[in-house]
């Protein structure tokens, strides 16, 4: 998840990456991406709290952080499944099916999260 | 068109498909029947009881679950195990097995089938072996096709390597774990193939079940990441892999932490770090993949270089901090001893003392797997020749499991499934080639036939029609031009057969001609299968179907003698001692005493407290004077030893005695020294030449107490050690014999109370004996009054 955020060394590369992203990405994927960014920020904040303040109810931290990580990767999976560029790779998974899978995965994940919060 | 034998041509494709699926169903049902019935030897020959040692604890825990409900079981604190300490059972077991049989028990009772919980426990393993056969069928179907799947199912259904851990009565974690293992792998392959988060989640759920069921879940935890890593390194990263792995890891890891025994281990220990590392790597690779699709290649290179440096520095820093702070625990001894095979013997004798933890000998591979063991490499090779993503999995699994099975006898169990799968692949490729009726024909003739032939549904023949070169491999694919619909189905069912039969050189005719070769090879294969069945049945009935609770021996006329000393002694304890009487024995028998005699024990088979076991070892291996205070301090009322010297039962406590000494020596190196128990020439002897430490040890005295008297003046011979015992046996001052079973296998001694006059018991006894000699009249009356 540690993305290559390198503003100083390669500004042109990053710039072209950004323009290419804004131009070529369907709005649906951008919506997913904004959700991803939100989850990532939430996870980073939890992690910082854990490091800077306390990790005392460790199971609570793990379930909170685990839920952000899990939701992040499930959403990222959904993103790659519904991405029209990846149609070749997912012959058996239609976008609707992908969303149902995403919903099931998230429900199972959050069942375990709430169970583990204790 | 040449065929070796003709096929019926008046069948419609749907009929063939229906019959094929009916046959598959019937075959699977029969396989289930074979798998279940071949595990019932022990129940039919003896009775329906729990075998071995560990299952007795599982059975006891399941009884608690069945009678008191799940929450009581979850919070069960057992005060009778590890006597002064007690054991928090809910937090120190894998509850999957008990929960499974609890569910089955309640389900059957809901159906008004009032089955005893013991019978559920006894018959759980055979029932699950049928499910294992089905799961292996599904798994192999993903690797090759249904026919290979059926072969794999029957192989695993009756292979002795798996039966050895799943006969009826063997109520151990492995009984359900192998089914879950295979099903988890099947769903993983399915998730990887389809790139489906649904199957990834199912994999995670079954992984959770596996974590709840067996400590061997670490095998899955490392196999799946290894597979993913190898796929990445082979340049086969795809978004399907990302979806499958991420959904498995994210849900599965959180799920695995719900099991109290596992707790925070998935983020804290080294066994689980591989999975975490591959998870992180996959995120990076996926993100890089995404970036690459958006920028030009030169810019991408700059980005890649910079980010690699950044991530490398960050990762090294994080790992350094984690290791420095000790947040990630190193390998546990049990896992570490798999890599450094000399480690356990040197540092943790308690691991090395278990016979299952020894390296495997060659014959046991053949004994457990018969001809599968030499088809196994061929199957792995065939996986290499095709090498789709899922075949990589089989190859890795084969390599890893072979290594582990070589290191430890017990891990033969995880090798057996992959051996069955790989040999089924090899065997079914062989059969396909030799049952396929297509004869190799002249290429030009084939081409002309195809060109003029009727519209054929076979795509291969269309391909050959397109290619003009007569000797090209593509044209060879069309070796059987299908004259009938059944033929085309046959070639669709058997895609490999026709291709490979003509894989030879350009001009020379290669392939299988005539019926005789087909019969010879097919008959040979059939003969091998028949031998396999016979071998499996023989091994199962002779080697693996004996309940260790009762010992059976055969008389010269073939009559069977049952030696039932264990239960005799345990029931004596159960009926003739107070319920709070603490029994001390070596840890092997802890579970059985708790299960059958229902008495508190000092140590048991869950060897979580090494010092406590060493205490027992010290008490057993030191002299009576030293041992007596230890026994008193631990409130021991009875001491139980297993002695096989009369009957020739070799697994007795004298043969295990050196391990007691070693384990005690690990904790008290000043007081217990292993060399003291050998003769000056370094021999381990129990006869007149035995060393003093040996002769004075509590174990020796308890085992051979009154043994010489049994022979009535003749020479007393220990039939296990084959040594002649001195005619004057040891005497006991601090213990008295309470019970000795019929064949002297189990001997129970009661710990005497302290002397009323405050003397030590040895001088008290000497005094009593001396008095007896002098005055001729002892004081039995006075004792009776007291």
């Amino acid at each position: 998840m540690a993305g290559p955020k390198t503003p100083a060394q390669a500004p042109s590369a990053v710039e072209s990456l950004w323009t290419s992203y804004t131009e070529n990405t369907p709005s649906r994927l951008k919506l997913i991406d904004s959700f991803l960014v939100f989850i990532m920020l939430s996870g980073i904040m939890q992690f910082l709290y854990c490091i800077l303040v306390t990790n005392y109810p460790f199971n609570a931290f793990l379930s909170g952080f685990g839920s952000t990580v899990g939701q992040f990767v499930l959403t990222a999976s959904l993103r790659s499944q519904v991405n029209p560029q990846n149609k070749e790779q997912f012959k058996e998974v239609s976008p609707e099916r992908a969303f149902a899978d995403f919903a099931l995965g998230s429900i199972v994940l959050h069942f375990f999260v709430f169970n583990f919060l204790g | 068109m040449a065929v070796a034998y003709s096929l019926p041509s008046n069948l419609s494709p749907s009929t063939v498909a229906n019959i094929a699926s009916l046959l598959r169903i019937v075959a699977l049902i029969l396989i289930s029947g074979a798998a279940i019935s071949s595990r019932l030897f022990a129940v039919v020959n003896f009775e329906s009881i729990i075998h071995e040692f560990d299952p007795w604890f599982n059975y006891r825990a399941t009884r608690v679950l069945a009678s008191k409900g799940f929450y009581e079981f979850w919070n069960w604190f057992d005060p009778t195990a590890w006597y002064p300490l007690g054991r928090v059972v809910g937090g120190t077991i894998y509850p999957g097995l008990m929960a499974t049989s609890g569910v089955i028990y309640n389900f059957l009772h809901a159906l008004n089938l009032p089955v005893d919980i013991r019978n559920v426990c006894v018959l759980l393993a055979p029932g699950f072996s049928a499910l294992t056969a089905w799961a292996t069928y599904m798994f192999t179907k993903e690797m090759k096709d249904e026919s290979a799947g059926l072969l794999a199912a029957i192989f695993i259904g009756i292979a002795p390597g798996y039966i050895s851990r799943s006969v009826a009565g063997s109520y151990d974690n492995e009984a359900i774990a192998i089914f879950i293992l295979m099903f988890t792998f099947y769903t993983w392959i399915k998730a990887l193939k389809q790139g489906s988060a649904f199957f990834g989640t199912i994999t995670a759920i079954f992984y959770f079940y596996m974590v709840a069921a067996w400590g061997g879940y670490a095998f899955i935890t490392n196999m799946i990441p290894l597979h993913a890593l190898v796929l990445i390194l082979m340049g086969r990263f795809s978004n399907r892999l990302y979806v499958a792995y991420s959904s498995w890891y994210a849900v599965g890891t959180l799920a695995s932490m719900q099991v109290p025994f596992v707790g925070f281990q998935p983020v804290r220990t080294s066994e689980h770090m591989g999975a975490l590392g591959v998870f992180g790597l996959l995120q990076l690779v996926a993100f890089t993949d995404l970036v690459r699709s958006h920028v030009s290649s030169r810019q991408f290179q700059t980005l890649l270089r910079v980010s690699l440096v950044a991530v490398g520095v960050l990762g090294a820093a994080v790992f350094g901090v984690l290791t420095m702070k000790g947040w990630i625990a190193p390998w546990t001894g049990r896992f570490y001893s798999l890599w450094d095979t000399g480690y356990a013997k040197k540092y943790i004798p308690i691991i090395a003392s278990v016979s299952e933890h020894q390296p495997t000998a060659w014959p046991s591979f053949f004994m457990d797997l018969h001809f599968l063991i030499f088809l196994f490499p061929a199957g792995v090779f065939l996986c290499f020749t095709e090498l789709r993503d899922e075949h990589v999995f089989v190859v890795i699994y084969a390599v890893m499991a072979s290594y582990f099975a070589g290191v430890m006898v017990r891990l033969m169990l995880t090798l057996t499934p992959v051996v069955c799968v790989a040999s089924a692949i090899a065997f079914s490729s062989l059969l396909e080639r030799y049952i396929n009726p297509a004869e190799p024909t002249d290429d030009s003739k084939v081409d002309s036939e195809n060109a003029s032939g009727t519209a054929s549904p076979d795509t291969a023949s269309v391909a050959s029609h397109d290619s003009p070169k007569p000797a090209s491999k593509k044209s060879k694919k069309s070796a059987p031009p299908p004259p009938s619909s059944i033929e085309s189905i046959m070639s669709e069912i058997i895609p490999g057969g026709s291709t490979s039969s003509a894989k030879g050189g350009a001009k020379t005719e290669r392939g299988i001609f005539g019926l005789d070769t087909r019969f010879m090879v097919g008959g040979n294969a059939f003969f091998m299968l028949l031998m396999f069945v016979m071998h499996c049945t023989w091994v199962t009935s002779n080697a693996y179907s004996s309940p260790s609770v009762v010992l059976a021996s055969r008389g010269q006329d073939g009559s069977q003698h049952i030696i039932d000393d264990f239960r005799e002694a345990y029931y004596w304890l159960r009926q003739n001692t107070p319920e709070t009487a603490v029994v001390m024995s070596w840890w092997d028998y802890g579970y059985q005493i708790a299960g059958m005699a229902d008495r508190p024990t000092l140590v048991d088979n869950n060897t979580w407290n090494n010092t406590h076991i060493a205490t027992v070892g010290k008490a057993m291996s030191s002299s009576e004077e030293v041992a007596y205070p230890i026994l008193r301090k631990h409130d021991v009322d009875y001491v139980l030893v297993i002695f096989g010297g009369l009957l020739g039962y070799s697994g007795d406590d004298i043969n295990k005695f050196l391990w007691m000494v070693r384990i005690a020596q690990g904790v008290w190196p000043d007081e217990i020294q292993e060399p003291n128990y050998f003769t000056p020439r370094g021999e381990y002897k129990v006869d007149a030449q035995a060393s003093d430490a040996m002769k004075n040890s509590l174990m020796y005295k308890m085992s051979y107490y009154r043994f010489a008297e049994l022979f009535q003046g003749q020479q007393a011979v220990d039939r296990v050690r084959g040594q002649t015992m001195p005619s004057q046996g040891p005497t006991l001052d601090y213990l008295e014999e309470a019970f000795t079973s019929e064949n002297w296998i189990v001997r129970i001694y009661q710990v005497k109370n302290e002397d009323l006059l405050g003397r030590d018991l040895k001088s008290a006894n000497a005094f009593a004996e001396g008095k007896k000699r002098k005055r001729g009249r002892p004081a039995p009356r006075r004792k009776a009054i007291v």
Side-chain angles (χ1 to χ4, degrees), chain A residues 1-6 9-10 12-14 16-17 20-21 24-25 55 58-59 62-63 66-67 69-70 72-74 76-77 79-81 83 85-86 88-93 97 101-102 104-105 108-109 112-113 115-116, chain B residues 190 193-199 201-202 204-205 208 237-240 242-244 246-247 250-251 254-255 257-258 263-264 267-268 279-280 283-284 287 289-291 293-296 299-300 302-303 306-307 310-311 314 327:
Chain A
M1 273 172 294
K5 299 273 159 26
T6 51
Q9 279 95 337
S12 63
V14 173
S16 70
L17 174 65
S20 153
Y21 172 76
N24 298 334
T25 313
N55 69 354
F58 193 50
N59 59 327
L62 276 182
S63 47
S67 84
V69 173
F72 182 88
V73 294
L74 284 175
S77 301
R79 187 193 190 282
S80 71
Q81 280 170 326
N83 193 343
Q85 286 174 347
N86 294 340
E88 278 304 297
Q89 293 188 20
F90 296 101
K91 284 179 185 128
E92 292 176 60
V93 183
R97 170 75 192 274
D101 287 358
F102 167 73
L104 176 87
V108 172
L109 177 78
F112 285 123
V113 165
N115 194 30
F116 200 53
Chain B
K190 198 86 182 160
K193 265 181 156 180
Q194 297 192 355
S196 138
F198 171 72
F199 276 105
T201 313
I202 299 290
I205 289 172
F208 167 59
F237 170 80
S238 65
N239 285 304
R240 287 191 309 260
Y242 177 82
V243 172
S246 300
S247 54
V251 180
L254 210 54
M257 288 192 283
Q258 320 278 325
F264 297 136
V267 290
R268 282 272 167 85
F279 181 67
Q283 307 303 323
L284 291 182
F287 190 75
D289 214 42
L290 184 72
V291 170
S293 68
H294 282 292
V295 293
S296 68
Q299 285 172 325
F300 176 71
T302 349
L303 277 177
V306 175
S307 59
V311 169
L314 202 73
W327 282 348

Side-chain angles (χ1 to χ4, degrees), chain B residues 155-172:
Chain B
F155 286 162
I156 193 129
I158 58 174
Y162 175 41
I163 287 190
S164 65
R165 292 325 211 82
S166 65
V167 289
S170 168
Y171 182 56
D172 216 341

Side-chain angles (χ1 to χ4, degrees), chain B residues 218-241:
Chain B
F219 186 61
I220 300 184
T221 321
N222 289 304
M223 269 302 296
I224 293 180
L226 193 61
H227 184 208
L229 182 68
V230 170
L231 286 181
I232 294 172
L233 292 181
M234 288 169 83
R236 292 188 178 197
F237 170 80
S238 65
N239 285 304
R240 287 191 309 260
L241 176 65

